[in-house]
Structure formats: structure tokens, C-alpha cells
Amino acid sequence: ILLIDAMASEPKQAAQEEPKEEEEEKTAETKEESNEDVEMKEDVEMKDEEVKDEAEEQQDKFKELEQDAPPDKRPTAKDVALNLKDTTVNVMPVLGGKVLMPLTEGGMQYLLAGARCNAGQKAGRYMFEVRIVELLYPADQPGSKTYAPQPKQLLNVGFSLAGSSLLLGDGTSNCSFDSEGFFVHGGVRKRAGRKFGRDQTVAVLLNLDASSPNANTVSLFVDGARASEPMPLPEELRDKALVPTVTYRNVSIEVNFGPKPAAPLPFSCRMLGDAASADVEICKTQSSKSGKSEVIFPVGLPDEGFFDWVDRFVETHPDYTELSDRKILEWASKSGLHPMRQQAGYVGSNDKPEARFGIPALDDWSPARVIAAIAPTLQRNFIIPELKANLTKADRGEALIRFGANEFCRKAVVLMGEPEADHKAWVHSKLLEQKRARAEVEKRRKAHEDERKRVNEERRKKHEADRKAREVARKKVQAPEGDEGQAQEEAGESKDEAKAGEGEEEAKAAGDEQAEAKAEEPAAAEAKDEPDTPVELTEDEKKEYYSKSALPDLSEREFARTYVNFSVPTKEEGFDDVSFVWLSDSKTAEYLKKYILDKKLTSRAEDLTPGSDFKDRLAKWQKTVQEWRRCQSDFKDPARRERKADEARQKVAEEKRALIEAGDDEGARALEEQALQDAEQPVEIDMDSLEPMKVENIYDIGNGQPLFAHFTHDDWTLLYTRFELHLLIHSFKKDLNDPDRQGFGLKDLGFYFNKYYRKNWNFNQFGVKEFDDLVDLLRDSVSVDSTSGHLKADQEEDVALEQFIRLTEDNRLERERRIDAGDETARLNFTRSSDRGKGCKGGKGGHFKGGPSQPSRFGGAQHEAPRFGGGHSEASRFGGNRPEASRFGGGHHEASRFGGSHHEAPRYDRGSHESSRFGGGHHDAPRFGGGHHDAPRFGGSHHDAPRFGGSHPVGGHHAGRNDHPGRNDHPGGSHGGPPAPYGGHKRPFPSGSSQSYPPPKQPRASYGGSGYGGGPPPPPYGGGKAGGKGGKSAYNRR
């Protein structure tokens, strides 16, 4: 009962204790929160006290020497304000120009903005104020490969010269204080004061009063308190009118020129807006007669001084703003962005450079699009040096639409031909300046190298002296062995000797050092006294009219694509004025016409595309070549010739039977006589006296032999090259359809060859050094025009395709006669092309399906080589051809996987023409044995043997086929021989043996010859008519 009562009372006590615990926790939390608030307030108060202490320390540090401004009754300047025409294009003025905001869209957040006052101070002591109204935090685009310039929010306040860069910190024509507390001049930042930020009024005071103790200084004040000591004015800015300038990024600022300050200084100081008119110089902006802003479109030719003229114009007309891609890159570089390391490939041109900052918003030229949209809204003068766009009428029309005639006076300035004298002088001065700069860099490099050598020589001497000292010390501690007294005596003697030796060594070292020093003194004095050679331009350099650049003015591809559309602008296009700077309008038109004509003879036609006529003629050529190659293969294969003869006889018989059934006995008799006449023994042809150019039927020169019967890989390659170049030259003229451009030079052959045939032009495969040597091999087909240097087709466009066979055979016979006469230079040394391009409508093998130019992966036959066997022209991976042996064997025409060839022995076997997999047959050997013509797979016969055994006409039988080794149930053998294992002999034991496979170990033999095939017993390593001559085999170990 007591236990139950206790258990019942526990929840009540717990329920009473829970509210107490919650109240205690809340009370503790409230105390903690109050403690945290107190701590935060204390931290803020401590920071404020630290700032105040820092300001008090700075005020104590900077003893104020400035005095109150005396009263001045001179007339004051009027309308002192920001010059809204002298700002960067990303400055957005609001509230009547008192507040400036930046553009932050499309990568503009990374670029600095700059603005300048319309008045420059040249005397007295005056100040102006700037306040950061807001801080902007534009989001960075994802995918950046580098960091944005830091800090993201920045403000520079200072002074600059009129017409100089609007970005403070760029060059030596300005000085400023930045929001990080640095004084900036000439790219050098020096800690000068404390930082300042939002809602703090910053005053910059320029003291040019000669009577003041702080004369020619500039000072920074924050919220009325001095934030820096008076900084001396740089020498480059003294005795010149200095214009108040602000540079900022990702902040909105308020600029106050007076007359009343927002944060008074500890002493009275007049603001620039209340300055005496005699102490300031108002910067006047020039305007056109029409009162509109001007936009100038310079029109010039690539690499003929276009950008030289633009640079000179901007230099002499600072009130014009240049809008170009190259200026955007320059602007980004001055804003703290640096391009990434240059990579291989396209690098752009002066007209269209490539942006590689690693920031997507800059690399895709988003700022250029923003500027193109905002520029027409700004009332200022522009110059647009777009080289390619200004040369083409269509692009000029688009630019004129952007800059409307109501707001802008649009002018075109044409600069073509030889520049005028003053421009040449300006270019020469720039060239001399660059040459002197390079000479100065080389001088500093040489001085640095001499200093490095001197330091190294001193270090070497010191090390040598230390080494000698250690040697002397080592000699001192050495003592000879012996008794103790003798050791002491000898130790004493060694001490004396060591001292004497040490003295001698030191004297010698000192003498050596003195000698070296004396030897170096004249050389150093000579180098010091050597006068600097004056740097001047050479006579050749004085003849140059245009400065050289690392990049072309226009990329080669862009130029070749557009130069035919270059034209001279006219007023009819919409220009208010068209002026000609270097030549008159008529001479300029003649100059441009001659320029385009000359470029047509040397430039590529990038937009050229193959026409339908080219494609049709190429398809016809491919089909015809396949027929020729098939005809050659049939002629070289007796079995195929026999089959064709049988087919012809069968066809004649069918036709004769049809005539007899029709009752035309005379026709049947005539057909039979004609067949007998055709079947007569072919006449003998004297090949030495054969004239290929007079052969009418290239398929039969009179003895049933085609004219191309003896063509090798090299001859077929020459045939292809003849026709391909012939077709290319004629198609180029037809497809381009330009009477001024009838051909192309050697330097563009590879470009057009790839454009038409979709494969690379491989000159190295011909084994010649000069193109003239190849032209000699292609005589009467292709030549080079001696006047223009263009390729010329020697045959008419519609010449019969058989003509190329005749030309190739004529060239082949001539080479053979020269070789027979002992001229080894006539021997061809072609190499197989490694280009695996698909070609034009080709198969796996390349250009022609299975053709000689492009080998397939495992083999390239003339037409359609098997996967593991090669054809006449292209060796396969495991089977080869006549000239080039395959990996495991070389076949004369269509080598099998492991078979050999007539000329090049395979790795395991060698056959006469088409060898088998493990043995070589005379013509078409079987897989495991060789037959005379068409041997069976596992046995050889004279003509058409069965798969596993053969006799003379059709040997063996197929009953009970068995492809497995160890069986002997198929008769085989050449000419009806007795059965043997798989129809033949693997080892040289007597024919007809009934031993089972594998037989007992026998003398070594190969798998060539009649191994696995019929015929008489082969000699060692195979051989004989049936099996062919077998090569050594790795399978002999069996």
C-alpha cells in the first residue's frame, strides 16, 4: 500500500516541479540574453572607442599646419560640376548629376567606372567631397575559373590631368586615395591613412598655395577629421591644372563641389565650386556645327595602318570615346583583371581579340553588348574602329541604324593607300619609342646578369677561402705516430710547419685574389666607361609606314570570308559626311579594286562548297575504279578466269539454243564461229613496243590482258591522284564562278583537298622532296602555271576516265625502262597513308570503299577486304599484300589470316599468291592447306577441291563432315590421292598414312605446304605445287 501511495504521489510532485524548472530556465535564459546584449553593446562601444582613439591618435600624429582660408574678393568660378561627357560609359548619373551609379549588368560589375570634373585647379587651396551612398552586391556568374578583382566595392578620389585616363591609378598622370587607406600613383600603392566606407564624407584637399607650409600637397579628410598626412604632389603633376576625379566599382556615390561643405574641416577651406575663377580652368568641350554629337566610322584595310590612325586620332582628340573590343580588354586589365595563360589555338585579332579572363560574363563579351545598347543614349562623341564591319556595306548599315541621324552627326573617314607625311612621322616616333624601350629592357637585363655573375664570383672566392682555411686547420691537428716525446716534438714541429704553411697559403690566396681583382678592375672600368649606343631607326625601318603588331588586324579566316565584299562608303548609305584622308575618292576606289584582285589570287575561299556536278563525277569515278580493280583481280586469278570463260561459254550456248529454237540456224552458226574465234589462242603482245596512249580497249590490249594488269599500289595511288587533282581544279573554277579567280596555289591545296574530299592531302606519302617531282610523276594531268603559280589541269574537264589509265600505264612503262637502264631514281618510294578519314562515300577502308588510301581497322582490301585478311593494296592486321607484309603473313592479293604471300614471307607461312590460314597455296589456298587454284578448307586439289579433301576436278566428298581434329574420315589428296589426316600431311611421313591426329613426333615441319591438305609429301617446312612454299611456323613446337 505504501508503495502504491508513493507511486501515485510522484507524478503530482513532478507536475509541481516542472513549472518551477521552466521558470528557472526562462530566468536563466533572460539573464544570458541580457548579458549577451550587454556584451554586444560593450563590443560596439569598444569599437567606437577604438575608432575614436584611432582618429585622436591620427590627429595627434598629424599636427595640423593648415590655417583658415583668408577672405577673397575675386570673382568665383561658375557651373563647376561633373563633366558628364568625360566619364566611362558605365557611369549612370542621377539627381542632376550629383549622384553617380555604376552599371552592373552583363559583366560590367567587374569594371571600374570613372568620372571627372569640368574644372581643373591650377592655384590656391580648395577641396571637394565624396560620399558612398550605397554598396552594391551583384551576383557572380557561376563557372568562373578565376577570382574577381578585390575589393568588390572600391572608391578612389583624387586628381588627374585633363584628357588622361579616367581610371585613377592608371599611369602617372593622376594621384588618389582609395577606400582601403592607400595613396596611389603610377601603379604604386602606399599606406597613407585609414579606411573609409559608406555614409562617411570624404574630403580631398589640394594645396597649391606657395605661401602655405603644405604647398604642393594633397590631403584626405574623413567626416571632417584628417585621415592622412599631407602627401607630396608627384613631379609629373606639378605646375599643371589638376581636375578632381573619382573612380569607383559597385558603389553609388554623391559628389559635392560646393560651395558649402557637408562636413566642415577643422579649419575653414573653400570648395572648388566657390574657387576664384583665376585659380581654376574650365574644360570646354567641342561640339559640331550642327550641335549634335559626332560618331566617326574609320574605314581602312587590314595591316595597313588602320589602328595606327585610330590611336593617333584618340590621342589628339581626347573628347572622343573609342568603342571597340580591344578597348574593353584594356579597360578590364586596368580594372584589375588579368587574362589567363594563353592556350593553343585561335587567339583572335586586333579587330576581334579573344577574351580569356576565366569569367563567363567577360569571356562571352557581355560588356560589349551592354555598351552597344547604352552608347547611343549618351550625348558624347564616339569613334567606332570596327575594321571588318566598317568595310562592308551591310554592317555599316546596321551601325547607322543604332546611331540615329537625329542625335548624331555620322561621318565616315576613309584611309587607304600610302599615308601622309605627318602620319609617317608619328609612326616612326612610335617605332623609335618601342625600340628604345626594348633597348632599355635589354640594358637592365644585361646589368642584372653582370651583377649576378659578380655576386656568384664573390661567393666562389669566399667558398674557396673557407676551403683553404679548413685545409690548413686540418693539417694543424694531424700528428705522426710514435712515442710520446717524439710525438710532442713532432707535434711542435708540425705546429711550426702548419703556421708556416698557413702563412704561405694565406699569402698565396691573397696574391691570387689581388691578381684577380686587378684583372677584373680594367674590365669593370671598361664596362662602366662604355658609352651607351644611341638607339635610332635603321633605313629599312624608316621605310615602314605601319607599326607591327603581334596579332593580325583581321584573322585569316574572317578576311578570306569577307574581303570580296569590301567597299568604299558613300553618302547614299546614310552618312552625313565621307572624307578621304590619304588618297582621293577616285584613287581610293582604284586602290581597293586592285587590292581585292590581288587578294583573290592568294587568299582562300572559306565559304566554297562542293557542287552537285562534283559529287556526281566523283561517284562515277569510284564505281569505275572498283570495276577496274575487279578486272585486275580476275585477270591475275586463273580460277576466276576459268569461271568467267565457263560463264561465257554457257552464255553462248544459251544464246545459240535460243537462236536454234527460233529457227535462225545461220545466226546460231555465226555465233558459234565468233565464239570459236574468241576462244583461239591470244596473240602475243610485245610490251616493250606497246604504246598505251593508242590502246582503245583498256580491258583487252589484244591478248586478253587489261592495260592496267601490272598496276601496283603505287600505280593505283598515282591514278587516284591524277583524277582527284584534275577534278578538284575544274570543280573549283565551276563552283566558285569567279572570273578573277581561276585557280589556287600550292599553299591552299591541302585546304581545298580537305574541303572537297573530306580527307587530308598527304604529300609525304609520295616520297619526293618538291612538288615539281610529283608533277613530273603526274605529267599530262596536272602542272603549275609559271605566271600565277596556280595548279592547272592539263586535260579537258569532260575527258574520258580511261585516259587516266593510259597516262598512268605510260608513266609506269617509262619508269621500268629507266630502271632497266640502271636509273634507280626512277624507282618509286611511296609510303602507305595513315589517314583514316572516312573519305567521300567510302567504306571502312577510307575514300574508296576498302581502297588504298584509308586502311580499315583489321585490313583494307582493294574493294572490300575481309576483317582478318588483306587485299592487294592495303595490308590487314593479320594478313598482308604483295609490297607490305602483314603482321602474321603477307599475301599477294588477298592474304588470309595467317597465310603468306608471293613476295613477303609471313610470320608463320608463305604461299605463292593467296595463302591459307596455316599454309600457303598457289592461288587461293584453303584455310589449313594449299591447293593449286581454289583449294578446299582442309585439303587441297588442283582446281575446285571440296572442303575436307580433293581430287583433280572435284575431289573428296562432304558426307560426314567433321571439323574436329583427330578424325580421318574424309578422303583427300591432290589428284585423287589417298586419305590422310584432314586430307593431307602435317608431318613429312608417307602419303596415305592412317595415323590419327596428332601423329607421333616427326622431324620439324610447318603448317605450310600440304600440311592439312592433299598432294604429295611436302619437304621440310612445306612446299610443292599443291601446298606452296611454307614458311617457318611457331606451331612447329607441336
Side-chain angles (χ1 to χ4, degrees):
I1 294 172
L2 292 175
L3 178 61
I4 293 172
D5 291 342
M7 292 175 64
S9 62
E10 282 181 2
K12 295 180 180 179
Q13 294 178 358
Q16 293 176 357
E17 291 176 358
E18 283 181 0
K20 294 181 181 180
E21 293 178 356
E22 291 179 358
E23 291 178 2
E24 292 177 357
E25 289 178 358
K26 290 181 180 179
T27 304
E29 290 177 357
T30 304
K31 291 182 179 180
E32 290 178 359
E33 289 178 358
S34 60
N35 292 336
E36 291 178 358
D37 293 340
V38 172
E39 290 178 358
M40 291 177 64
K41 291 179 181 179
E42 290 178 354
D43 291 341
V44 172
E45 291 176 357
M46 290 177 62
K47 290 181 180 178
D48 292 340
E49 290 177 0
E50 288 178 359
V51 171
K52 292 179 181 178
D53 293 340
E54 183 180 355
E56 291 176 359
E57 289 177 3
Q58 288 179 347
Q59 290 192 3
D60 295 339
K61 177 182 178 182
F62 306 134
K63 185 178 180 180
E64 193 58 67
L65 300 178
E66 299 287 353
Q67 303 295 326
D68 292 340
D72 192 349
K73 297 181 179 181
R74 293 179 296 173
T76 59
K78 297 181 180 180
D79 300 327
V80 176
L82 288 172
N83 184 1
L84 299 182
K85 292 186 177 182
D86 194 14
T87 65
T88 55
V89 293
N90 60 339
V91 171
M92 295 290 104
V94 295
L95 300 178
K98 293 183 179 180
V99 176
L100 302 180
M101 299 182 66
L103 282 175
T104 58
E105 177 67 23
M108 300 296 286
Q109 70 265 29
Y110 303 108
L111 304 179
L112 292 172
R116 195 155 33 213
C117 182
N118 63 352
Q121 179 181 344
K122 57 183 181 180
R125 187 190 70 178
Y126 303 99
M127 74 172 188
F128 73 97
E129 293 178 334
V130 181
R131 182 173 67 93
I132 297 178
V133 176
E134 65 172 344
L135 301 177
L136 304 177
Y137 297 91
D140 292 332
Q141 187 174 351
S144 298
K145 298 179 181 179
T146 185
Y147 295 103
Q150 298 296 327
K152 289 187 176 181
Q153 292 80 22
L154 180 67
L155 173 62
N156 274 26
V157 289
F159 296 88
S160 64
L161 299 178
S164 64
S165 175
L166 287 166
L167 305 181
L168 296 173
D170 176 29
T172 59
S173 58
N174 58 74
C175 64
S176 63
F177 294 95
D178 66 15
S179 54
E180 299 297 306
F182 290 91
F183 180 75
V184 185
H185 170 68
V188 179
R189 303 174 71 218
K190 178 183 177 181
R191 176 67 70 177
R194 62 187 179 93
K195 300 180 181 180
F196 54 86
R198 185 176 59 179
D199 293 334
Q200 290 183 310
T201 300
V202 180
V204 184
L205 184 146
L206 177 61
N207 192 340
L208 300 180
D209 186 1
S211 62
S212 172
N214 291 335
N216 292 322
T217 61
V218 57
S219 302
L220 178 70
F221 294 84
V222 178
D223 289 336
R226 178 175 285 276
S228 76
E229 61 181 358
M231 303 299 295
L233 200 64
E235 291 293 334
E236 296 88 349
L237 304 180
R238 297 194 177 188
D239 301 327
K240 298 176 182 177
L242 302 181
V243 186
T245 308
V246 293
T247 298
Y248 59 98
R249 176 171 54 212
N250 295 330
V251 295
S252 297
I253 60 174
E254 177 189 3
V255 183
N256 178 27
F257 293 106
K260 299 296 182 181
L265 304 185
F267 51 90
S268 61
C269 179
R270 298 173 63 179
M271 300 196 70
L272 191 64
D274 190 36
S277 58
D279 293 343
V280 296
E281 181 179 307
I282 302 297
C283 303
K284 297 181 180 180
T285 57
Q286 298 179 357
S287 59
S288 62
K289 297 179 181 179
S290 61
K292 304 177 183 177
S293 298
E294 289 187 352
V295 54
I296 293 179
F297 297 88
V299 181
L301 295 173
D303 302 317
E304 291 194 4
F306 176 82
F307 289 103
D308 291 340
W309 186 91
V310 173
D311 292 338
R312 183 186 175 204
F313 180 88
V314 174
E315 183 180 309
T316 55
H317 298 78
D319 55 323
Y320 280 78
T321 301
E322 179 181 344
L323 300 181
S324 64
D325 291 345
R326 64 173 192 152
K327 279 298 177 182
I328 294 178
L329 294 186
E330 180 182 327
W331 187 3
S333 177
K334 293 177 180 179
S335 300
L337 291 159
H338 303 287
M340 301 176 66
R341 181 178 297 178
Q342 194 65 52
Q343 301 175 359
Y346 177 73
V347 294
S349 61
N350 290 326
D351 185 43
K352 293 297 179 183
E354 189 174 11
R356 289 184 175 177
F357 295 104
I359 299 177
L362 294 176
D363 294 347
D364 63 1
W365 291 103
S366 294
R369 293 189 287 271
V370 175
I371 293 172
I374 199 66
T377 66
L378 305 177
Q379 294 300 315
R380 65 180 69 184
N381 299 327
F382 293 107
I383 178 172
I384 305 179
E386 293 286 343
L387 178 57
K388 191 272 295 182
N390 293 350
L391 276 168
T392 56
K393 184 177 180 180
D395 292 334
R396 290 195 298 262
E398 293 180 2
L400 290 175
I401 293 175
R402 290 200 307 271
F403 295 90
N406 296 330
E407 294 82 14
F408 292 92
C409 179
R410 303 171 297 181
K411 296 182 178 181
V413 180
V414 183
L415 35 127
M416 296 184 187
E418 184 176 339
E420 51 196 6
D422 58 343
H423 182 79
K424 292 180 184 178
W426 183 86
V427 171
H428 291 163
S429 66
K430 290 294 181 182
L431 292 176
L432 182 59
E433 182 180 345
Q434 295 172 2
K435 190 173 182 179
R436 287 175 177 172
R438 290 194 297 268
E440 184 65 24
V441 171
E442 179 62 21
K443 181 181 178 181
R444 290 198 297 267
R445 187 198 65 79
K446 188 176 180 181
H448 178 74
E449 182 66 18
D450 293 341
E451 178 65 16
R452 187 186 65 82
K453 290 181 179 179
R454 186 189 64 80
V455 171
N456 289 341
E457 184 63 20
E458 290 181 355
R459 188 181 294 112
R460 186 190 66 80
K461 292 178 180 179
K462 183 178 179 181
H463 290 171
E464 184 67 17
D466 293 343
R467 186 189 65 79
K468 292 178 179 179
R470 288 195 301 270
E471 184 68 18
V472 172
R474 186 182 62 81
K475 290 180 179 180
K476 286 182 180 180
V477 299
Q478 288 179 348
E481 297 179 357
D483 57 2
E484 187 176 350
Q486 185 177 357
Q488 291 179 356
E489 289 182 11
E490 292 180 358
E493 293 176 0
S494 63
K495 275 187 178 181
D496 297 337
E497 292 177 359
K499 290 180 179 179
E502 182 181 358
E504 292 177 1
E505 292 289 342
E506 291 178 355
K508 184 177 180 181
D512 292 343
E513 291 179 1
Q514 291 178 0
E516 291 178 1
K518 289 180 179 180
E520 291 177 358
E521 283 178 3
E526 183 178 354
K528 187 176 181 180
D529 297 337
E530 182 180 354
D532 293 335
T533 305
V535 179
E536 299 293 341
L537 295 178
T538 63
E539 293 299 325
D540 293 338
E541 291 173 338
K542 290 180 180 179
K543 295 178 182 178
E544 296 179 2
Y545 303 150
Y546 320 118
S547 60
K548 297 179 180 179
S549 174
L551 295 177
D553 286 354
L554 200 63
S555 66
E556 182 179 356
R557 179 179 178 84
E558 187 67 20
F559 176 82
R561 195 173 60 86
T562 59
Y563 77 93
V564 293
N565 299 322
F566 290 173
S567 63
V568 178
T570 60
K571 286 188 176 182
E572 286 73 14
E573 297 179 18
F575 290 100
D576 298 312
D577 181 48
V578 178
S579 60
F580 296 85
V581 180
W582 295 340
L583 295 177
S584 62
D585 53 351
S586 59
K587 291 184 178 180
T588 299
E590 294 177 1
Y591 184 88
L592 179 60
K593 182 178 180 180
K594 183 179 181 300
Y595 177 87
I596 294 176
L597 182 60
D598 293 340
K599 293 300 180 181
K600 281 184 177 181
L601 302 178
T602 57
S603 300
R604 295 174 177 173
E606 294 283 349
D607 295 336
L608 181 65
T609 55
S612 59
D613 184 68
F614 165 82
K615 297 177 182 178
D616 294 341
R617 296 183 65 185
L618 181 60
K620 181 181 178 182
W621 164 259
Q622 293 172 350
K623 184 178 180 180
T624 305
V625 168
Q626 291 180 6
E627 182 182 348
W628 291 340
R629 297 299 293 267
R630 192 179 302 111
C631 180
Q632 185 195 42
S633 298
D634 292 344
F635 173 77
K636 291 188 174 184
D637 187 350
R640 295 182 183 180
R641 288 206 307 271
E642 186 66 25
R643 283 196 297 269
K644 291 186 68 176
D646 293 340
E647 292 174 359
R649 287 192 294 271
Q650 184 178 0
K651 183 178 180 182
V652 170
E654 292 176 356
E655 292 178 356
K656 181 181 176 182
R657 186 182 305 107
L659 291 174
I660 292 174
E661 292 176 355
D664 188 2
D665 296 339
E666 294 182 0
R669 191 178 300 108
L671 181 62
E672 185 177 3
E673 292 176 355
Q674 183 64 36
L676 292 174
Q677 183 179 353
D678 294 341
E680 291 180 357
Q681 186 70 18
V683 297
E684 293 293 335
I685 300 296
D686 185 8
M687 300 301 296
D688 294 335
S689 61
L690 180 66
E691 297 183 16
M693 303 304 298
K694 295 182 179 180
V695 176
E696 295 182 1
N697 185 6
I698 65 171
Y699 293 95
D700 187 356
I701 62 175
N703 60 353
Q705 172 181 319
L707 186 61
F708 44 85
H710 301 289
F711 276 16
T712 63
H713 167 266
D714 297 347
D715 299 310
W716 287 111
T717 301
L718 286 176
L719 176 67
Y720 300 148
T721 307
R722 284 178 185 274
F723 177 80
E724 287 173 346
L725 295 182
H726 165 86
L727 180 60
L728 174 62
I729 295 170
H730 284 292
S731 300
F732 173 84
K733 292 190 291 185
K734 179 178 290 188
D735 297 336
L736 192 60
N737 194 23
D738 188 348
D740 295 331
R741 187 159 35 173
Q742 294 295 311
F744 54 87
L746 295 179
K747 69 181 184 66
D748 297 324
L749 172 59
F751 171 78
Y752 291 118
F753 193 86
N754 182 272
K755 180 175 283 289
Y756 272 84
Y757 294 106
R758 301 298 181 187
K759 63 179 181 179
N760 295 330
W761 166 253
N762 185 7
F763 176 75
N764 296 329
Q765 68 172 324
F766 300 106
V768 294
K769 295 182 179 179
E770 301 294 337
F771 191 81
D772 293 339
D773 300 330
L774 178 60
V775 169
D776 186 61
L777 296 175
L778 305 176
R779 193 184 310 117
D780 299 328
S781 295
V782 179
S783 59
V784 179
D785 189 277
S786 58
T787 304
S788 62
H790 291 169
L791 289 177
K792 181 176 66 175
D794 296 335
Q795 300 293 325
E796 296 295 331
E797 180 181 1
D798 55 351
V799 65
L801 299 182
E802 291 79 2
Q803 186 69 7
F804 295 101
I805 286 284
R806 298 186 184 98
L807 292 171
T808 305
E809 175 64 11
D810 187 64
N811 181 267
R812 188 190 70 82
L813 293 177
E814 180 185 353
R815 292 198 313 272
E816 283 191 353
R817 286 191 287 268
R818 290 171 57 188
I819 293 173
D820 294 340
D823 184 6
E824 291 297 324
T825 60
R827 195 179 300 276
L828 298 180
N829 188 28
F830 287 10
T831 58
R832 298 302 176 90
S833 173
S834 60
D835 189 356
R836 295 176 180 266
K838 289 185 177 180
C840 193
K841 291 187 178 180
K844 263 191 174 182
H847 172 58
F848 300 108
K849 198 170 184 180
S853 299
Q854 320 295 332
S856 64
R857 181 181 178 187
F858 293 103
Q862 152 57 22
H863 294 296
E864 293 181 350
R867 183 180 182 188
F868 293 100
H872 175 74
S873 300
E874 299 299 329
S876 68
R877 182 179 177 186
F878 296 109
N881 55 19
R882 191 177 75 162
E884 304 294 335
S886 66
R887 181 179 176 186
F888 293 103
H892 179 69
H893 291 297
E894 294 173 348
S896 63
R897 183 177 181 185
F898 291 89
S901 69
H902 180 69
H903 293 287
E904 299 296 331
R907 184 175 177 183
Y908 297 110
D909 316 276
R910 184 170 66 185
S912 174
H913 285 292
E914 277 106 8
S915 50
S916 66
R917 183 179 180 186
F918 293 102
H922 183 65
H923 286 295
D924 291 318
R927 185 178 180 187
F928 291 100
H932 181 65
H933 290 301
D934 293 317
R937 184 178 182 186
F938 292 100
S941 69
H942 183 67
H943 285 296
D944 295 310
R947 186 176 183 185
F948 295 98
S951 62
H952 178 65
V954 180
H957 60 85
H958 288 280
R961 285 177 53 180
N962 194 335
D963 293 348
H964 299 284
R967 299 290 302 274
N968 189 15
D969 54 356
H970 297 285
S974 179
H975 298 272
Y982 282 89
H985 303 281
K986 180 176 183 298
R987 304 293 181 182
F989 49 78
S991 177
S993 172
S994 60
Q995 297 181 19
S996 61
Y997 182 83
K1001 186 174 180 181
Q1002 300 291 338
R1004 297 178 62 185
S1006 74
Y1007 281 86
S1010 59
Y1012 287 98
Y1021 299 106
K1025 183 177 180 180
K1029 186 178 180 181
K1032 292 183 177 180
S1033 174
Y1035 292 88
N1036 291 334
R1037 292 189 299 272
R1038 296 182 181 178

